[in-house]
Amino acid sequence: MINIAKPMIGIEEKQAVLEVLDSGILAQGPRTKLFEEAFAKMTGVSYAIATSSGTTALHVAMLAHRIGPGDEVITTPFTFIASANSVVYTGARPVFIDIDPATFNLNPAQIEAAITPRTKAILPVHLYGLSSNMDAIEQIANQYHLIILEDACQSHAATYKGKKVGSFGTGTFSFYPTKNMTSGEGGMITTNDPEINDSCRVIRNHGMRRRYYHDELGYNFRITDLHSAIGLAQLNKLEGFNKKRREDAAYLSANLKGVAPPFIPRDCEHVFHQYTVRVAGGQRDALRAYLLEKGIGTEIYYPVPIHQQAYYTQKLGYHQSLPEAERAAGEVLSLPVHPGLSHDDLELIASMVNEFTRTR
Ligand SMILES: Cc1ncc(COP(=O)(O)O)c(C=O)c1O
């Protein structure tokens, strides 16, 4: 079976975990500090703050920017639920706009119409490993004095005009096992702002600056040194992982027929967290079943846009139509693109997709 994702764990990760176990410092400690410093360097920012997951990174980043009840955050509905839930956790309201059908990312042409006196931030999600259109987003954010909070959970080391995602505003990353690099579970916030850095560290650790003195409401969103040790070892391999993902994607794009391959804008270096094609004509689910029969795992990211999720319609009262996000949800299919694929795997994926599309 060719799986849709495969964590690439080697001797370095195993060794690093054993060293932490032997050190006796298991909770957030020296490995976490090293992980944060190395991640900040890779992303090209002054500070990085590790957390227990991508979701808690988003949540802490929102709180550090004092986003809360009465505020609105403009974002995309075509993403993993955590992007929008992190806004809801704070008491603020996600305001969904439609996506650009070519890139699957939030369409900047729709941002201005969604701005109200309550708008506090724009939350672009760099979906599938591809940066959002950051020139357009920065221009609007500057004009209306809005915060940029980037959900880069799927885009470690992706670039826009040569600059890494997560360095345009406050960035957030996930190290879930399917991601381009993993720590088991874990997250990271990136920023150039010393006050946001300070705030994130306090919120992550029970609102505590001085031991057992609590200035504000905080949480236990700390990462452990065991996870940071794995993350550090993976970070050293990230460039190689991303290179292999790009090569796999290039092979698929050159060889697939009958499906629409991912579009790469000129300004972007895609890191192919996912290789996502569009299958038109209502054939997506049939192709998925066919590939499964042939031993090829695929996934639909995401079958229901967030504004149509039951919790959002029934509990939060969302009733809107966002046609491009809804069309994408019915057409997208992600094929395996992870660094563990052999050339034979890639040939099999391409030939099976082509066999299906030729006969339909
Ligand atoms: C776009 C996006 N945002 C947020 C998250 C949340 O990250 P985590 O699963 O580490 O909490 C994920 C990961 O699953 C994601 O893909």
Side-chain angles (χ1 to χ4, degrees), residues 265-286:
R266 206 186 43 224
D267 295 328
C268 297
E269 188 163 43
H270 203 313
V271 293
F272 288 100
H273 171 57
Q274 298 299 341
Y275 183 91
T276 304
V277 299
R278 274 188 195 261
V279 189
Q283 293 290 306
R284 189 262 313 271
D285 294 345

Side-chain angles (χ1 to χ4, degrees), residues 25-86:
I25 305 172
L26 307 187
Q28 183 183 292
R31 295 290 165 149
T32 300
K33 188 164 181 289
L34 290 174
F35 186 28
E36 290 176 338
E37 286 166 2
F39 201 86
K41 191 162 172 234
M42 183 282 286
T43 307
V45 295
S46 308
Y47 311 100
I49 305 98
T51 61
S52 54
S53 69
T55 306
T56 54
L58 277 158
H59 190 179
V60 170
M62 298 272 162
L63 295 172
H65 280 285
R66 307 298 162 204
I67 290 168
D71 295 332
E72 293 176 353
V73 177
I74 296 172
T75 192
T76 165
F78 194 58
T79 175
F80 182 56
I81 194 81
S83 312
N85 278 357
S86 64

